[in-house]
């Protein structure tokens, strides 16, 4: 579990944190000791934990102990929690550190009183540090200040999707491959829905790593992929396809003609349209 913590240096109060449950491949590297990065009054800590026991204990006890590497305890006063599913969609607004994957997320937080202004002041006070965190760690606290005072456990669905529309003289549709790299979701049911104007085409199949050619009679404007395992949605993507882009170019040509002491301006305009 890759675990990431942002805290105030002075009192070790958690500002933001997350853990990602991640199956390791041969290409992954492991950070097996706590590392620290200092940004003024903000400290950042990260490490790959072997399992969720340490995270669960920290959430239960309200303290994240970074021993033995660091003599530091991060306060986790987060009694409330909520679990939800993050889709792979351009419309998705929930923060996902792995934006290319769907993910289950359990967020731990505490309710703030109506007159609590402490966390509200944090983005302004530590603006420079948060800009650096965005550049280095791709966590944008300034754009999503609601993340402050929370710790989230992400459980991504390790499925990747390859999709491409096609059209020939005899067929039209799309090609799709769903890659279950670690074979974690054997027997999952896949539902593919393609839409173009008023036309809709649905295909159902069992998850595998094969390339599927779907001849639905049209190239989709929009496509939705939904995967269920044991009655639970574990993957859902929705996106629109750009089939062509239309450009209109308005060209104005101007020429000046001098006749004696007079200057006559001649203008000619033309308009061209073309598709990409």
């Amino acid at each position: 579990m890759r675990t990431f913590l942002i805290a105030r240096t002075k009192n070790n109060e958690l500002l933001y944190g997350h853990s990602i449950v991640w199956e390791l491949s041969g290409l992954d590297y492991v950070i097996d000791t706590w590392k620290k990065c200092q940004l003024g009054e903000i400290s950042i800590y990260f490490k790959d934990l072997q399992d969720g026991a340490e995270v669960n204990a920290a959430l239960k006890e309200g303290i994240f102990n970074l021993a033995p590497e660091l003599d530091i305890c991060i306060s986790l006063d987060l009694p409330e929690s909520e679990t939800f599913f993050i889709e792979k969609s351009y419309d998705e607004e929930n923060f996902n550190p792995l934006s290319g994957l769907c993910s289950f997320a359990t967020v731990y937080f505490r309710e703030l009183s109506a007159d609590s202004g402490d966390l509200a002041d944090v983005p302004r006070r530590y603006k420079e540090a948060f800009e650096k965190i965005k550049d280095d760690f791709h966590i944008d606290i300034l754009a999503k200040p609601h993340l402050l005072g929370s710790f989230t456990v992400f459980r991504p669905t390790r499925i990747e999707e390859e999709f491409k529309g096609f059209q020939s003289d005899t067929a039209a549709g799309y090609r799709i491959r769903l890659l279950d790299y670690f074979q974690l979701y054997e027997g999952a049911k896949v539902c593919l829905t393609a839409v173009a104007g008023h036309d809709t085409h649905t295909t159902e199949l069992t998850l595998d790593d094969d390339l599927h050619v779907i001849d639905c009679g049209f190239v989709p404007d929009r496509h939705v992929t939904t995967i269920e395992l044991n009655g639970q949605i574990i993957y859902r993507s929705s996106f629109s396809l750009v089939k062509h882009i239309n450009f209109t170019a308005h060209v104005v040509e101007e020429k000046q003609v001098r006749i004696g002491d007079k200057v006559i301006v001649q203008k000619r305009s033309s308009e061209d349209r073309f598709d990409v």
Side-chain angles (χ1 to χ4, degrees):
M1 296 180 69
R2 178 149 297 180
T3 302
F4 182 89
L5 305 168
I6 303 174
R8 298 185 206 246
T9 305
K10 184 177 181 179
N11 59 4
N12 294 328
E13 176 193 8
L14 178 78
L15 292 178
Y16 169 79
H18 71 236
S19 277
I20 303 172
V21 180
W22 192 253
E23 187 81 18
L24 293 176
S25 71
L27 300 177
D28 288 313
Y29 64 93
V30 178
I31 303 171
D32 55 6
T33 59
W34 280 107
K35 304 297 182 182
K36 179 180 179 181
C37 176
Q38 190 75 40
L39 295 174
E41 299 179 51
I42 297 292
S43 295
I44 300 165
Y45 308 94
F46 49 93
K47 179 183 179 180
D48 290 331
L49 306 177
Q50 290 187 354
D51 54 48
E54 190 171 344
V55 172
N56 293 336
L59 290 167
K60 182 178 180 180
E61 297 169 8
I63 291 289
F64 215 124
N65 191 340
L66 307 191
E69 295 87 11
L70 299 172
D71 185 20
I72 295 172
C73 290
I74 306 298
S75 174
L76 296 179
D77 180 20
L78 308 171
E80 307 292 333
S81 66
E82 179 183 354
T83 299
F84 51 92
F85 180 69
I86 303 175
E87 300 180 3
K88 183 181 176 182
S89 167
Y90 296 117
D91 299 328
E92 182 60 62
E93 296 182 356
N94 288 305
F95 171 70
N96 184 358
L98 300 166
S99 57
L101 298 174
C102 297
S103 183
F104 291 92
T106 301
V107 57
Y108 298 86
F109 59 96
R110 67 178 184 273
E111 295 287 355
L112 299 177
S113 61
D115 58 351
S116 176
D118 186 41
L119 283 180
D121 184 58
V122 166
R124 179 194 60 79
R125 181 173 180 179
Y126 304 120
K127 183 175 184 294
E128 186 175 340
F130 287 141
E131 288 176 344
K132 180 68 173 172
I133 290 171
K134 175 187 175 183
D135 292 339
D136 293 351
F137 300 100
H138 310 292
I139 299 172
D140 194 350
I141 299 293
L142 296 176
K144 298 183 182 296
H146 62 276
L147 295 175
L148 288 168
S150 71
F151 183 94
T152 304
V153 177
F154 293 96
R155 296 176 177 83
T157 300
R158 299 295 293 277
I159 293 174
E160 295 190 11
E161 181 175 4
E162 298 175 358
F163 183 98
K164 187 175 183 178
F166 75 89
Q167 187 166 11
S168 66
D169 293 337
T170 58
Y174 58 94
R175 299 179 179 91
I176 188 169
R177 189 195 307 270
L178 298 162
L179 301 173
D180 177 10
Y181 284 107
F182 294 94
Q183 303 300 307
L184 300 174
Y185 314 106
E186 184 178 354
K189 303 301 180 183
V190 181
C191 179
L192 307 172
T193 302
V195 179
H198 297 293
D199 296 325
T200 300
H201 184 275
T202 299
T203 300
E204 295 184 351
L205 49 89
T206 300
L207 181 65
D208 56 38
D209 289 340
D210 295 340
L211 176 66
H212 295 272
V213 180
I214 310 299
D215 180 6
C216 55
F218 57 83
V219 179
D221 294 328
R222 184 170 178 270
H223 189 270
V224 178
T225 301
T226 304
I227 302 177
E228 291 189 14
L229 182 64
N230 299 325
Q232 182 181 41
I233 293 178
I234 62 169
Y235 182 95
R236 191 175 191 275
S237 70
S238 59
F239 52 87
S240 299
L241 284 76
V242 178
K243 294 182 178 179
H244 67 272
I245 302 174
N246 177 267
F247 289 92
T248 300
H250 189 206
V251 180
V252 178
E253 296 178 90
E254 181 177 302
K255 182 171 65 174
Q256 295 183 350
V257 179
R258 181 177 293 278
I259 302 176
D261 58 351
K262 293 184 178 181
V263 176
I264 300 175
V265 178
Q266 296 179 334
K267 289 185 178 182
R268 185 178 68 178
S269 65
S270 61
E271 188 174 281
D272 294 313
R273 296 183 179 181
F274 58 94
D275 292 337
V276 177

